[in-house]
């Protein structure tokens, strides 16, 4: 799954990477090394500009809220739970199928965090000696340092309790598409200590669907609406592009934020051995 990620690149950097034509400086976000659900996040999308003379789709960098609220929802409360959409069923689920056909985006990240329960902690939990096992966080990122382009969906929701001219009358929200985690060896092996995970599936059975650059244009193209054609884009990237390494448990607290959260540890913290 994807419940937390890091996004440190600024709008100028992202505009260059994704060939963005339009973004609003006033929507710029500060680097965020602990992005959590309901936060404002960057998304790249192709959409025509309102009231523009030229109706063609324009590649934009927009600021959206993470946690999709379907257009038909009566309230936005469920958005915090709809942070992920499964690639296998996104085309048929009522909450996602319209967005999948017409409102796709890329959510840029440095990488994402995932937590693993250590063997010793699991044993204590099974024996009833510990009610809440301590988990070791790992950071998963492209091995070459490139952007992690997560496949996403976005949706518009109208708050009927507010007048049309109110700045918060319209919500624009998004969700990250996930797929089965890779079972192939990670780039760089099992980490410096040699006792880490050997594949992403050792960490969690799900992962965000990363789009390689050759699929960006097709994924963002709003003219592509055939469901079966679009499902063909939901294939995992080639094996061996990712690496994963242990980071401080400080990232488990969403109030902690800073580049130190990405510092690679030599091995899992004490008590959380893989």
């Amino acid at each position: 799954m994807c419940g937390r990620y890091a996004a440190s690149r600024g709008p100028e950097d992202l505009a260059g990477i994704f060939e963005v034509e339009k973004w609003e400086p006033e929507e710029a976000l500060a680097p965020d090394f602990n992005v959590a659900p309901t936060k404002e996040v960057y998304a790249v999308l192709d959409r025509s500009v309102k009231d523009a003379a030229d109706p063609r789709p324009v590649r934009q960098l927009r600021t959206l809220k993470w946690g999709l609220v379907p257009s038909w929802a009566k309230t936005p409360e469920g958005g915090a739970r709809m942070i992920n959409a499964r690639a296998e069923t996104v085309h048929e689920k009522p909450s996602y199928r319209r967005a999948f056909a017409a409102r796709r985006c890329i959510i840029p990240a440095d990488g994402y965090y995932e937590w693993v329960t250590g063997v010793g902690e699991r044993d204590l939990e099974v024996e009833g000696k510990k009610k809440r096992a301590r988990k070791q966080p790992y950071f998963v990122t492209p091995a070459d340092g490139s952007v992690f382009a997560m496949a996403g969906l976005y949706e518009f929701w109208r708050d009927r309790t507010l007048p049309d001219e109110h700045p918060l009358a319209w919500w624009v929200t998004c969700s990250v598409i996930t797929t089965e985690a890779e079972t192939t060896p990670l780039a760089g092996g099992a980490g410096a200590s040699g006792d880490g995970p050997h594949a992403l599936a050792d960490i969690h059975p799900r992962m965000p669907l990363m789009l390689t650059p050759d699929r960006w244009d097709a994924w963002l193209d709003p003219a592509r609406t055939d469901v079966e054609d679009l499902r063909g884009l939901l294939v995992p990237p080639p094996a061996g592009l990712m690496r994963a390494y242990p980071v401080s448990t400080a990232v488990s607290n969403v109030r902690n934020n800073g580049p130190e959260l990405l510092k690679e540890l030599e091995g899992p913290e004490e008590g959380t051995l893989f």
Side-chain angles (χ1 to χ4, degrees), residues 1-59:
M1 63 175 292
C2 178
R4 207 81 66 80
Y5 69 91
S8 65
R9 288 177 170 84
E12 293 91 349
D13 191 10
L14 294 174
I17 293 171
F18 293 101
E19 299 180 342
V20 168
E21 299 175 71
K22 183 179 186 297
W23 62 277
E24 301 297 339
E26 62 270 20
E27 292 186 1
L29 300 173
D32 196 335
F33 298 89
N34 203 351
V35 181
T38 73
K39 278 191 172 183
E40 297 291 317
V41 301
Y42 281 133
V44 179
L45 53 93
D46 284 5
R47 188 177 180 83
S48 58
V49 177
K50 185 178 180 181
D51 299 326
D54 188 349
R56 70 178 178 85
V58 173
R59 183 152 303 174

Side-chain angles (χ1 to χ4, degrees), residues 162-195:
L162 299 175
D164 291 341
E165 64 276 8
H166 196 284
L168 299 180
W170 284 96
W171 290 38
V172 191
T173 59
C174 61
S175 184
V176 173
I177 295 179
T178 66
T179 188
E180 289 187 358
E182 297 175 0
T183 57
T184 50
L186 286 161
S193 63
D195 58 2

Side-chain angles (χ1 to χ4, degrees), residues 221-236:
D221 186 358
R224 299 181 74 145
T225 59
D226 181 80
V227 171
E228 291 307 312
D229 172 49
L230 293 169
R231 290 186 70 193
L233 299 174
L234 297 175
V235 294

Side-chain angles (χ1 to χ4, degrees), residues 9 60 78 89 93 98 101 123 131 163 184 202 234 241-242:
R9 288 177 170 84
Q60 305 175 45
T89 57
K93 292 294 184 181
R98 290 183 181 177
D123 291 343
K131 291 185 178 180
T184 50
D202 293 337
L234 297 175
L241 298 182
M242 306 291 186

Side-chain angles (χ1 to χ4, degrees), residues 2 5 7-9 50 65-66 117 139 165 196 216 220 259 265:
C2 178
Y5 69 91
S8 65
R9 288 177 170 84
K50 185 178 180 181
K65 184 182 290 290
W66 186 21
T117 303
F139 187 63
E165 64 276 8
W216 292 352
L220 295 175
L265 304 182

